Amino acid sequence: MSTTTAQKHVLVVDDNPGDVGLLRQVMDGISGVTVHTASNVTQAHAFLTRLPPYLGAPVPDLILLDLRMPILPGYNIIPLVRREPSLQHIRIV
């Protein structure tokens, strides 16, 4: 009997490279998890809607979202995720 573990994708949206590095370091130790990053809301929006340069990006299973970022706060990505049927299942922390 073979057991298959589905690959899980986590999108980290954070403008602080130190925080991103720490989260990546922690999650790299978890088998079956791939970490993707966006350093601002504009990049996160492009990733989630598969705009260039994120054509073919996977739909994440989890978004780790920094709410306090310059220019646009992380809160601005939440309505997109909640109103788009293909994204509504994503958990946001």
Side-chain angles (χ1 to χ4, degrees):
M1 177 196 303
S2 72
T3 314
T4 326
T5 304
Q7 186 69 26
K8 299 294 181 184
H9 297 274
V10 176
L11 176 61
V12 176
V13 184
D14 197 324
D15 63 318
N16 184 319
D19 291 346
V20 172
L22 180 61
L23 287 167
R24 184 178 290 282
Q25 185 178 8
V26 168
M27 287 187 276
D28 279 349
I30 302 171
S31 178
V33 173
T34 300
V35 177
H36 308 273
T37 61
S39 60
N40 57 52
V41 170
T42 303
Q43 285 180 1
H45 179 269
F47 186 94
L48 292 167
T49 56
R50 296 184 179 110
L51 296 173
Y54 302 104
L55 301 172
V59 173
D61 300 286
L62 173 68
I63 298 173
L64 296 177
L65 179 62
D66 179 5
L67 298 177
R68 295 176 51 186
M69 291 185 285
I71 304 170
L72 289 173
Y75 291 106
N76 289 342
I77 204 69
I78 296 171
L80 165 74
V81 172
R82 294 300 169 235
R83 78 172 167 259
E84 178 59 42
S86 66
L87 303 176
Q88 289 175 348
H89 71 281
I90 301 172
R91 299 211 185 256
I92 301 173
V93 177

